[in-house]
Amino acid sequence: MPTQSKSARLWLRPARRKNGKVIARATYIILDAGKHYPTGCFAGQAESAERKLAEYIASKYEAPRKGRELTDIPVADVLSIYVDDRGPKQRNRAKFDERMARLNEFWGGMMLSEVTGDVCRRYEAERGSPGGARRDLEDLRAAINHHAKEGLHHSIVRIALPEKGPPRDRWLTRTEAAKLLWACWRHKEMQLRHRGRHKGLRLPTNRYPLRHLARFILIALYTGTRAGAIAKASPNKGEGRSFIDLDHGVFYRLPEGARPSRKRQPPAPIPGRLLAHMRRWRDRGISHDHFVEWNGEPVASVKTALKTAVRLAKLPERSHRTLSDTQLLPG
């Protein structure tokens, strides 16, 4: 009678000796179906070895791709197939993976037949944000539709989405935008003094930590460009950069090598006043590879800096939210 093979497991292979000397340290090995897989972990590194085993087991698993009844299809399989097929094509893979992880944590243990409007509303309540829940559930709907289009299930599964939030009804006025720019330009870094007659006091230094944000806001005001394209804006062509042609005054907002999306990013002319600023930033060495840099590096996000600037400018507390997508003023 054939014996059933054991599942993958760890084995601490003893140290090997020759002529009384250790020639190989005790090492953790993964045993699976009679084969050995090294972990690179030695005796005393049990936790690291266990993580390697978990990664190995996860890498072995592949969601089945065959038609099954909804009662036999784990939502985790649906999400896994969607991640494998659509993940590499995502513009922002990190955010996509975060949403998939949230969905899997809540839905992963359920079967596809358990996806109902009531459970969708429970997810919304646990998520705590109708807008965030809607975005996550749109991904769940896309994953289920992809699973169906692949011919892996045939019954209809519907997702109940939360209501869309109300459209934006407030914009910064020109006066508020001017206050924000002025706060960014004149704010100095505060530093605690540890010696001398000013010991224990927080006093201003000669550093201006928000001037990069002032450049960001100026570009947004004049061009109405989205935050991501501004962060990637560069006077030099290059992969992943939004190129600003300072000779001809054109902002090529779609980063080089990026695929166009529904959020269109056509080239835009740069108004003369902004063009003069940008040329000066380049000529004075303020902007090197990107127009918005912090400590010589391009910024990934300005959300924290915006909150600080809003507080310094004494604008309404949630004004930083009106800056999303960098549409500071109507028109």
Side-chain angles (χ1 to χ4, degrees):
M1 180 177 179
T3 58
Q4 185 176 3
S5 60
K6 295 182 180 179
S7 59
R9 62 198 185 281
L10 285 175
W11 170 52
L12 181 60
R13 185 173 62 189
R16 285 180 283 180
R17 301 174 181 272
K18 186 175 182 179
N19 298 328
K21 295 183 179 181
V22 175
I23 61 173
R25 296 167 60 184
T27 308
Y28 281 100
I29 302 293
I30 296 173
L31 300 181
D32 188 18
K35 295 183 179 180
H36 293 188
Y37 301 92
T39 65
C41 301
F42 299 105
Q45 298 178 317
E47 288 187 8
S48 297
E50 288 171 359
R51 284 196 295 271
K52 293 286 186 180
L53 176 62
E55 292 171 2
Y56 171 80
I57 293 173
S59 68
K60 282 186 61 180
Y61 178 78
E62 182 177 352
R65 291 176 178 262
K66 60 181 180 179
R68 292 177 289 170
E69 295 297 325
L70 297 186
T71 53
D72 299 327
I73 303 174
V75 176
D77 283 1
V78 175
L79 294 173
S80 176
I81 290 172
Y82 187 64
V83 169
D84 290 344
D85 292 355
R86 307 299 300 177
K89 300 177 182 179
Q90 298 298 313
R91 292 172 63 85
N92 190 332
R93 182 61 190 265
K95 291 291 185 182
F96 174 78
D97 288 342
E98 286 177 11
R99 296 193 299 271
M100 291 297 107
R102 281 195 299 269
L103 288 169
N104 190 61
E105 183 177 352
F106 181 90
W107 299 91
M110 302 182 190
M111 294 298 176
L112 204 50
S113 57
E114 298 177 75
V115 178
T116 63
D118 186 57
V119 183
C120 289
R121 287 184 285 274
R122 181 151 53 89
Y123 179 80
E124 177 187 353
E126 290 197 16
R127 181 77 164 82
S129 165
R134 182 182 177 90
R135 182 67 187 89
D136 291 352
L137 290 172
E138 285 174 343
D139 272 343
L140 178 61
R141 180 177 63 183
I144 293 172
N145 289 344
H146 176 74
H147 195 264
K149 288 177 182 178
E150 292 292 303
L152 304 180
H153 77 264
H154 301 289
S155 301
I156 295 176
V157 179
R158 299 193 183 279
I159 299 295
L161 296 178
E163 293 292 331
K164 284 186 177 181
R168 184 180 305 159
D169 59 1
R170 185 186 184 278
W171 304 83
L172 288 184
T173 65
R174 290 182 179 275
T175 300
E176 289 174 330
K179 286 182 180 180
L180 194 62
L181 282 168
W182 184 239
C184 293
W185 192 255
R186 67 195 298 263
H187 174 65
K188 289 186 177 182
E189 181 182 72
M190 303 297 288
Q191 190 175 73
L192 180 66
R193 302 299 169 90
H194 295 283
R195 61 185 66 182
R197 63 191 179 93
H198 297 302
K199 182 178 179 180
L201 297 178
R202 293 181 64 84
L203 299 175
T205 68
N206 291 324
R207 295 192 65 197
Y208 294 88
L210 294 179
R211 287 194 172 178
H212 71 291
L213 181 58
R215 294 193 294 275
F216 178 97
I217 293 173
L218 278 173
I219 296 172
L221 279 169
Y222 278 105
T223 68
T225 301
R226 299 179 67 85
I230 296 176
K232 295 180 175 68
S234 171
N236 309 308
K237 286 185 176 182
E239 186 75 17
R241 297 179 179 180
S242 302
F243 175 55
I244 293 184
D245 186 346
L246 294 179
D247 294 327
H248 299 93
V250 179
F251 188 178
Y252 296 94
R253 295 184 285 191
L254 183 66
E256 186 173 321
R259 297 185 302 275
S261 68
R262 291 179 299 176
K263 299 172 181 176
R264 297 181 58 200
Q265 294 175 298
I270 303 173
R273 288 187 179 182
L274 177 61
L275 190 59
H277 282 307
M278 301 180 95
R279 286 171 176 167
R280 186 173 66 255
W281 299 339
R282 178 199 59 187
D283 296 341
R284 291 186 178 180
I286 297 173
S287 299
H288 298 280
D289 287 332
H290 294 81
F291 284 101
V292 183
E293 294 178 341
W294 169 249
N295 289 336
E297 297 293 332
V299 297
S301 172
V302 294
K303 289 183 179 179
T304 301
L306 275 172
K307 290 181 181 180
T308 301
V310 165
R311 175 176 54 81
L312 293 170
K314 298 181 180 179
L315 297 180
E317 185 177 351
R318 295 175 66 84
S319 292
H320 67 278
R321 295 191 178 276
T322 69
L323 304 177
S324 63
D325 298 342
T326 69
Q327 295 176 359
L328 306 185
L329 295 169

